[in-house]
Amino acid sequence: MPVCKDRFLHLIRSEIEEFYKIMIPDYNEEGQRVYILSSCFSGIYKKKLFVYFLSGEVIGYKICYFIFCKRIL
């Protein structure tokens, strides 16, 4: 089972690096990191990528959009 889990976690990391051109550190002790993908209109509109870690491995991510520092769906 650990082999399957390791392959799956590697796919998540590869997807982020390929689609969003962001290099994920090999080992990160933080629970979450936030990357700004785009910012328009002097920072009024932002698109952010939230990457979630568990024991240094990427376990998931999501994209959120913000207008006037408030998240929209």
Side-chain angles (χ1 to χ4, degrees):
M1 181 89 178
V3 174
C4 294
K5 181 188 83 163
D6 291 341
R7 288 183 189 166
F8 180 72
L9 294 177
H10 180 69
L11 288 175
I12 295 172
R13 177 185 292 248
S14 298
E15 182 177 334
I16 293 169
E17 290 177 351
E18 182 178 334
F19 290 124
Y20 301 110
K21 308 296 186 231
I22 294 175
M23 297 303 295
I24 305 295
D26 289 333
Y27 186 78
N28 188 356
E29 294 185 15
E30 298 175 13
Q32 167 183 313
R33 289 192 84 174
V34 179
Y35 299 95
I36 297 176
L37 297 177
S38 66
S39 179
C40 299
F41 307 114
S42 299
I44 293 173
Y45 167 80
K46 289 184 182 178
K47 180 179 178 182
K48 294 182 181 181
L49 171 70
F50 292 83
V51 181
Y52 301 101
F53 295 90
L54 182 65
S55 299
E57 294 290 330
V58 177
I59 59 167
Y61 71 95
K62 71 178 178 178
I63 305 288
C64 292
Y65 301 91
F66 293 84
I67 294 178
F68 295 111
C69 298
K70 296 192 183 211
R71 192 175 87 168
I72 58 174
L73 299 174

